[in-house]
Amino acid sequence: MESTERTEQRKTVLSGIQPTSRLTLGNYLGALKNFVAMQEEFDSFYMVADMHAITVRQEAAELRRRSVETAALFMACGIDPEKSTLFIQSSVPEHVMLTWVLNCNTYMGELNRMTQFKDKSARHADNINAGLFTYPVLMAADILLYQAHLIPVGADQKQHVELTRDLAERFNKLYGNTFVVPEPYIPKVGARIMSLQEPENKMSKSDPNPNGYIAMLDDPDTIVRKIKRAVTDCEECISPDRCCPGVYNLLTIYSACSGKTLEEAAGELEGQGYGVLKARTADAVVSVLEPIQKEYARILQDKRYLNDTLVNGAEKAQRRARRTVSKVYHKVGFDSVKR
Ligand code: TYM
């Protein structure tokens, strides 16, 4: 009872990551790193967004495996199931229950404006399914179900959180106060890590060129090699201004992985060649990722513990989600039959 009361007083944080394929350094610096920091202060819900993943074709056995592996990676980064609620989205059916109601309160025009829909439908022109279009509504349901106040995400998800705010406000106005209106939490450094090969594009796990991204599970040699090959797009200029996107990206990665501010990192490297920038960046990335990789391998060995953790997480998440769904179903008139 005591601990429930304590939980209720803290603000709530929710976020998620798709288990589509290997997570990248971008996912870590833009999102996961903050998940870990925020669990100390907030009542935190972190999920593996497997339902979002099927907007693009997935092989079932592979999705199942990756979902559990992604949860293991969350834990390896420091998500502590005693402090946070860690779960797999599809194990809490309330996400779908709320999605339908929100779908009926979302305008086509709002979804048409989503830049990620435009990008993804261009990349998957043979499979522009309705799920891809309504995906931001599922994401809004993920957030509103837990009455989350803060949503740690990278810059590319900001538009989706803004839509969530609009939906929450619209629903609250129509049906009376129901949802907390959430705020995005976007880190100052690392919110948009760019491709190492095409620094004008985001670093992405779906990049067909593996030299463009650093996977969180890349071994140290691969990390060093990829950073050595990174595009540096102008003459020696190491500066916290964004004058050269490729160099700025490396500086950002160095800063985020070493804990130094951008200015400190630039000051330290001023007057040195790009070789030094790349070597320091590679060292900093390896020293962040190597311990995570070791912990990941250890956690994966204990499949039973991992499964038990996810069962507990699903139960805890569902208890919270159910409360919101009951409230919403009552407000819209879905509780006509009393059992
Ligand atoms: P996803 O799986 O594409 O990415 C997970 C998180 O990683 C961030 N991210 C990046 N940050 C910095 N630089 C990059 N290059 C980079 N690439 C990815 C993303 O911004 C994101 O925070 N729809 C979401 C998952 C989701 C979710 C939610 C998030 C589902 N439900 C509810 C928050 C709340 C997505 O596809 O993220």
Side-chain angles (χ1 to χ4, degrees):
M1 186 65 199
E2 247 178 38
S3 79
T4 320
E5 276 171 9
R6 213 178 325 116
T7 306
E8 298 287 330
Q9 283 160 8
R10 289 190 295 164
K11 286 199 167 169
T12 300
V13 160
L14 174 128
S15 199
I17 295 189
Q18 294 194 47
T20 11
S21 53
R22 298 178 138 212
L23 301 199
T24 69
L25 185 65
N27 295 124
Y28 180 72
L29 296 178
L32 259 169
K33 190 179 162 202
N34 296 316
F35 296 3
V36 178
M38 290 174 100
Q39 72 180 343
E40 303 299 331
E41 192 182 336
F42 299 102
D43 184 19
S44 307
F45 290 80
Y46 297 125
M47 58 167 212
V48 176
D50 59 343
M51 298 178 79
H52 286 263
I54 67 160
T55 52
V56 174
R57 295 241 185 282
Q58 304 287 339
E59 210 264 304
E62 179 118 327
L63 180 61
R64 213 172 275 130
R65 181 175 58 75
R66 280 192 187 144
S67 297
V68 173
E69 287 178 357
T70 304
L73 197 54
F74 278 35
M75 287 162 72
C77 290
I79 301 293
D80 176 352
E82 298 290 321
K83 293 182 182 161
S84 297
T85 303
L86 172 63
F87 64 104
I88 294 188
Q89 184 185 27
S90 63
S91 59
V92 181
E94 280 72 10
H95 289 251
V96 187
M97 296 168 77
L98 182 58
T99 299
W100 178 249
V101 177
L102 295 180
N103 259 329
C104 297
N105 287 280
T106 309
Y107 303 118
M108 300 288 280
E110 288 175 307
L111 296 177
N112 261 326
R113 283 201 293 275
M114 296 291 123
T115 51
Q116 202 167 60
F117 170 69
K118 291 184 205 159
D119 290 351
K120 280 204 175 175
S121 43
R123 266 191 283 131
H124 302 277
D126 57 333
N127 181 22
I128 305 178
N129 59 73
L132 199 61
F133 188 64
T134 59
Y135 156 118
V137 185
L138 177 58
M139 181 160 156
D142 300 337
I143 294 169
L144 300 180
L145 265 183
Y146 298 92
Q147 306 288 353
H149 300 82
L150 276 178
I151 316 301
V153 282
D156 64 331
Q157 296 297 321
K158 186 166 178 250
Q159 198 185 28
H160 293 159
V161 181
E162 277 163 2
L163 174 72
T164 306
R165 289 174 58 83
D166 291 344
L167 298 186
E169 279 166 357
R170 182 172 307 150
F171 195 94
N172 287 349
K173 215 163 168 191
L174 275 170
Y175 294 97
N177 211 8
T178 311
F179 296 123
V180 167
V181 180
E183 300 269 354
Y185 177 88
I186 296 173
K188 280 207 190 81
V189 178
R192 195 167 167 78
I193 301 295
M194 309 309 276
S195 157
L196 298 178
Q197 291 299 315
E198 295 167 58
E200 56 291 345
N201 295 331
K202 188 186 78 161
M203 181 182 282
S204 161
K205 48 200 168 192
S206 50
D207 188 339
N209 178 0
N211 287 323
Y213 61 86
I214 293 173
M216 288 184 67
L217 299 177
D218 276 346
D219 60 56
D221 288 347
T222 308
I223 294 172
V224 171
R225 185 172 42 77
K226 286 183 179 178
I227 292 181
K228 253 192 197 151
R229 285 192 190 166
V231 169
T232 45
D233 34 14
C234 49
E235 291 302 309
E236 310 289 306
C237 162
I238 299 179
S239 145
D241 309 329
R242 293 166 193 251
C243 53
C244 317
V247 177
Y248 177 77
N249 191 37
L250 289 175
L251 195 63
T252 304
I253 294 174
Y254 176 51
S255 155
C257 290
S258 64
K260 295 176 180 156
T261 64
L262 270 178
E263 289 71 21
E264 284 166 353
E268 175 192 319
L269 291 160
E270 207 186 325
Q272 316 232 30
Y274 290 154
V276 179
L277 168 66
K278 288 181 172 179
R280 297 259 169 94
T281 305
D283 276 354
V285 173
V286 169
S287 63
V288 166
L289 292 185
E290 213 176 16
I292 294 176
Q293 294 172 357
K294 289 201 175 118
E295 186 58 8
Y296 173 72
R298 193 190 65 77
I299 293 170
L300 267 192
Q301 276 175 354
D302 197 346
K303 290 265 160 44
R304 173 173 288 183
Y305 168 70
L306 191 50
N307 190 65
D308 287 351
T309 301
L310 293 171
V311 170
N312 283 338
E315 284 169 358
K316 241 170 103 189
Q318 192 168 27
R319 275 199 294 279
R320 179 73 68 93
R322 226 181 246 147
R323 275 196 253 157
T324 303
V325 166
S326 311
K327 215 166 149 189
V328 169
Y329 273 31
H330 174 66
K331 294 210 174 192
V332 301
F334 283 173
D335 54 356
S336 47
V337 175
K338 310 277 178 249
R339 281 200 246 189

